[in-house]
mmCIF file of all heavy atoms in Angstrom:
data_model
loop_
_atom_site.group_PDB
_atom_site.id
_atom_site.type_symbol
_atom_site.label_atom_id
_atom_site.label_comp_id
_atom_site.label_asym_id
_atom_site.label_seq_id
_atom_site.Cartn_x
_atom_site.Cartn_y
_atom_site.Cartn_z
ATOM 1 N N ARG A 27 0.728 -20.112 13.618
ATOM 2 C CA ARG A 27 1.907 -19.461 14.194
ATOM 3 C C ARG A 27 3.131 -19.762 13.349
ATOM 4 O O ARG A 27 3.327 -20.885 12.889
ATOM 5 C CB ARG A 27 2.156 -19.988 15.609
ATOM 6 C CG ARG A 27 1.515 -19.177 16.713
ATOM 7 C CD ARG A 27 2.085 -19.636 18.027
ATOM 8 N NE ARG A 27 1.607 -18.846 19.145
ATOM 9 C CZ ARG A 27 2.110 -18.913 20.368
ATOM 10 N NH1 ARG A 27 3.121 -19.724 20.620
ATOM 11 N NH2 ARG A 27 1.627 -18.178 21.340
ATOM 12 N N PRO A 28 3.990 -18.756 13.139
ATOM 13 C CA PRO A 28 5.222 -19.004 12.386
ATOM 14 C C PRO A 28 6.208 -19.845 13.199
ATOM 15 O O PRO A 28 6.071 -20.018 14.422
ATOM 16 C CB PRO A 28 5.793 -17.593 12.152
ATOM 17 C CG PRO A 28 4.748 -16.636 12.590
ATOM 18 C CD PRO A 28 3.846 -17.357 13.535
ATOM 19 N N ASP A 29 7.233 -20.325 12.500
ATOM 20 C CA ASP A 29 8.337 -21.020 13.162
ATOM 21 C C ASP A 29 9.173 -20.019 13.956
ATOM 22 O O ASP A 29 9.159 -18.823 13.676
ATOM 23 C CB ASP A 29 9.228 -21.694 12.119
ATOM 24 C CG ASP A 29 8.490 -22.730 11.303
ATOM 25 O OD1 ASP A 29 7.653 -23.438 11.869
ATOM 26 O OD2 ASP A 29 8.750 -22.803 10.080
ATOM 27 N N PRO A 30 9.949 -20.489 14.919
ATOM 28 C CA PRO A 30 10.931 -19.615 15.577
ATOM 29 C C PRO A 30 11.837 -18.974 14.535
ATOM 30 O O PRO A 30 12.205 -19.603 13.531
ATOM 31 C CB PRO A 30 11.710 -20.575 16.481
ATOM 32 C CG PRO A 30 10.747 -21.693 16.749
ATOM 33 C CD PRO A 30 9.951 -21.857 15.494
ATOM 34 N N CYS A 31 12.219 -17.709 14.760
ATOM 35 C CA CYS A 31 13.047 -17.033 13.761
ATOM 36 C C CYS A 31 13.641 -15.759 14.348
ATOM 37 O O CYS A 31 13.246 -15.296 15.424
ATOM 38 C CB CYS A 31 12.229 -16.679 12.516
ATOM 39 S SG CYS A 31 10.926 -15.469 12.802
ATOM 40 N N GLN A 55 2.811 -9.999 19.029
ATOM 41 C CA GLN A 55 3.164 -10.680 20.269
ATOM 42 C C GLN A 55 2.017 -10.615 21.271
ATOM 43 O O GLN A 55 1.671 -11.622 21.902
ATOM 44 C CB GLN A 55 4.423 -10.040 20.863
ATOM 45 C CG GLN A 55 4.850 -10.586 22.229
ATOM 46 C CD GLN A 55 5.588 -11.908 22.102
ATOM 47 O OE1 GLN A 55 5.566 -12.533 21.049
ATOM 48 N NE2 GLN A 55 6.216 -12.351 23.170
ATOM 49 N N GLY A 58 -0.700 -13.065 20.542
ATOM 50 C CA GLY A 58 -0.353 -14.483 20.566
ATOM 51 C C GLY A 58 -0.053 -15.078 19.208
ATOM 52 O O GLY A 58 -0.089 -16.300 19.039
ATOM 53 N N TYR A 59 0.262 -14.221 18.217
ATOM 54 C CA TYR A 59 0.510 -14.711 16.864
ATOM 55 C C TYR A 59 1.968 -15.077 16.616
ATOM 56 O O TYR A 59 2.277 -15.755 15.641
ATOM 57 C CB TYR A 59 0.097 -13.658 15.834
ATOM 58 C CG TYR A 59 -1.386 -13.388 15.778
ATOM 59 C CD1 TYR A 59 -1.874 -12.141 15.418
ATOM 60 C CD2 TYR A 59 -2.319 -14.381 16.069
ATOM 61 C CE1 TYR A 59 -3.231 -11.872 15.350
ATOM 62 C CE2 TYR A 59 -3.675 -14.132 16.004
ATOM 63 C CZ TYR A 59 -4.135 -12.878 15.655
ATOM 64 O OH TYR A 59 -5.479 -12.624 15.597
ATOM 65 N N LEU A 60 2.888 -14.603 17.456
ATOM 66 C CA LEU A 60 4.300 -14.882 17.242
ATOM 67 C C LEU A 60 4.720 -16.151 17.973
ATOM 68 O O LEU A 60 4.137 -16.519 18.996
ATOM 69 C CB LEU A 60 5.152 -13.710 17.726
ATOM 70 C CG LEU A 60 5.041 -12.395 16.964
ATOM 71 C CD1 LEU A 60 6.049 -11.395 17.505
ATOM 72 C CD2 LEU A 60 5.239 -12.598 15.469
ATOM 73 N N PRO A 61 5.768 -16.808 17.486
ATOM 74 C CA PRO A 61 6.292 -17.961 18.216
ATOM 75 C C PRO A 61 6.950 -17.493 19.517
ATOM 76 O O PRO A 61 7.358 -16.336 19.652
ATOM 77 C CB PRO A 61 7.335 -18.539 17.251
ATOM 78 C CG PRO A 61 7.763 -17.375 16.431
ATOM 79 C CD PRO A 61 6.546 -16.529 16.257
ATOM 80 N N GLU A 62 7.037 -18.386 20.476
ATOM 81 C CA GLU A 62 7.704 -18.033 21.739
ATOM 82 C C GLU A 62 9.174 -17.716 21.508
ATOM 83 O O GLU A 62 9.738 -16.825 22.153
ATOM 84 C CB GLU A 62 7.559 -19.181 22.736
ATOM 85 C CG GLU A 62 6.129 -19.398 23.221
ATOM 86 C CD GLU A 62 6.055 -20.510 24.252
ATOM 87 O OE1 GLU A 62 7.120 -21.026 24.642
ATOM 88 O OE2 GLU A 62 4.932 -20.860 24.654
ATOM 89 N N ASP A 63 9.794 -18.452 20.605
ATOM 90 C CA ASP A 63 11.222 -18.273 20.348
ATOM 91 C C ASP A 63 11.416 -17.373 19.134
ATOM 92 O O ASP A 63 11.584 -17.833 18.000
ATOM 93 C CB ASP A 63 11.892 -19.636 20.128
ATOM 94 C CG ASP A 63 11.792 -20.523 21.360
ATOM 95 O OD1 ASP A 63 11.951 -19.994 22.472
ATOM 96 O OD2 ASP A 63 11.525 -21.729 21.201
ATOM 97 N N ILE A 64 11.387 -16.087 19.389
ATOM 98 C CA ILE A 64 11.598 -15.103 18.328
ATOM 99 C C ILE A 64 12.563 -14.045 18.846
ATOM 100 O O ILE A 64 12.638 -13.790 20.054
ATOM 101 C CB ILE A 64 10.271 -14.455 17.883
ATOM 102 C CG1 ILE A 64 10.502 -13.607 16.611
ATOM 103 C CG2 ILE A 64 9.659 -13.604 18.991
ATOM 104 C CD1 ILE A 64 9.219 -13.167 15.929
ATOM 105 N N ALA A 65 13.318 -13.446 17.944
ATOM 106 C CA ALA A 65 14.234 -12.373 18.315
ATOM 107 C C ALA A 65 14.275 -11.355 17.186
ATOM 108 O O ALA A 65 13.904 -11.652 16.041
ATOM 109 C CB ALA A 65 15.633 -12.923 18.590
ATOM 110 N N PRO A 101 10.001 -9.037 28.640
ATOM 111 C CA PRO A 101 10.602 -10.220 28.021
ATOM 112 C C PRO A 101 10.805 -10.072 26.513
ATOM 113 O O PRO A 101 11.795 -10.569 25.959
ATOM 114 C CB PRO A 101 9.582 -11.333 28.321
ATOM 115 C CG PRO A 101 8.844 -10.850 29.524
ATOM 116 C CD PRO A 101 8.781 -9.373 29.389
ATOM 117 N N ARG A 105 14.740 -9.612 23.846
ATOM 118 C CA ARG A 105 15.055 -10.306 22.600
ATOM 119 C C ARG A 105 15.302 -9.346 21.447
ATOM 120 O O ARG A 105 15.407 -9.766 20.294
ATOM 121 C CB ARG A 105 13.905 -11.273 22.249
ATOM 122 C CG ARG A 105 13.801 -12.431 23.238
ATOM 123 C CD ARG A 105 12.554 -13.266 23.007
ATOM 124 N NE ARG A 105 12.611 -14.502 23.788
ATOM 125 C CZ ARG A 105 13.042 -15.672 23.344
ATOM 126 N NH1 ARG A 105 13.454 -15.782 22.076
ATOM 127 N NH2 ARG A 105 13.081 -16.736 24.119
ATOM 128 N N PHE A 133 18.458 -17.747 21.947
ATOM 129 C CA PHE A 133 16.997 -17.604 21.900
ATOM 130 C C PHE A 133 16.292 -18.777 21.223
ATOM 131 O O PHE A 133 15.069 -18.744 21.051
ATOM 132 C CB PHE A 133 16.618 -16.300 21.182
ATOM 133 C CG PHE A 133 17.146 -15.064 21.850
ATOM 134 C CD1 PHE A 133 18.022 -14.215 21.185
ATOM 135 C CD2 PHE A 133 16.773 -14.740 23.153
ATOM 136 C CE1 PHE A 133 18.507 -13.066 21.791
ATOM 137 C CE2 PHE A 133 17.258 -13.591 23.765
ATOM 138 C CZ PHE A 133 18.123 -12.754 23.092
ATOM 139 N N ASN A 134 17.043 -19.793 20.835
ATOM 140 C CA ASN A 134 16.465 -21.001 20.240
ATOM 141 C C ASN A 134 15.667 -20.681 18.974
ATOM 142 O O ASN A 134 14.564 -21.204 18.756
ATOM 143 C CB ASN A 134 15.574 -21.727 21.246
ATOM 144 C CG ASN A 134 15.192 -23.127 20.786
ATOM 145 O OD1 ASN A 134 15.971 -23.805 20.102
ATOM 146 N ND2 ASN A 134 13.991 -23.566 21.141
ATOM 147 N N THR A 135 16.211 -19.826 18.122
ATOM 148 C CA THR A 135 15.502 -19.413 16.918
ATOM 149 C C THR A 135 15.746 -20.325 15.717
ATOM 150 O O THR A 135 15.215 -20.081 14.627
ATOM 151 C CB THR A 135 15.874 -17.962 16.552
ATOM 152 O OG1 THR A 135 17.287 -17.775 16.707
ATOM 153 C CG2 THR A 135 15.161 -16.998 17.477
#
Side-chain angles (χ1 to χ4, degrees):
R27 267 192 176 191
D29 299 322
C31 65
Q55 175 79 346
Y59 293 150
L60 293 185
E62 292 182 5
D63 298 320
I64 190 168
R105 292 172 169 265
F133 300 119
N134 192 33
T135 43

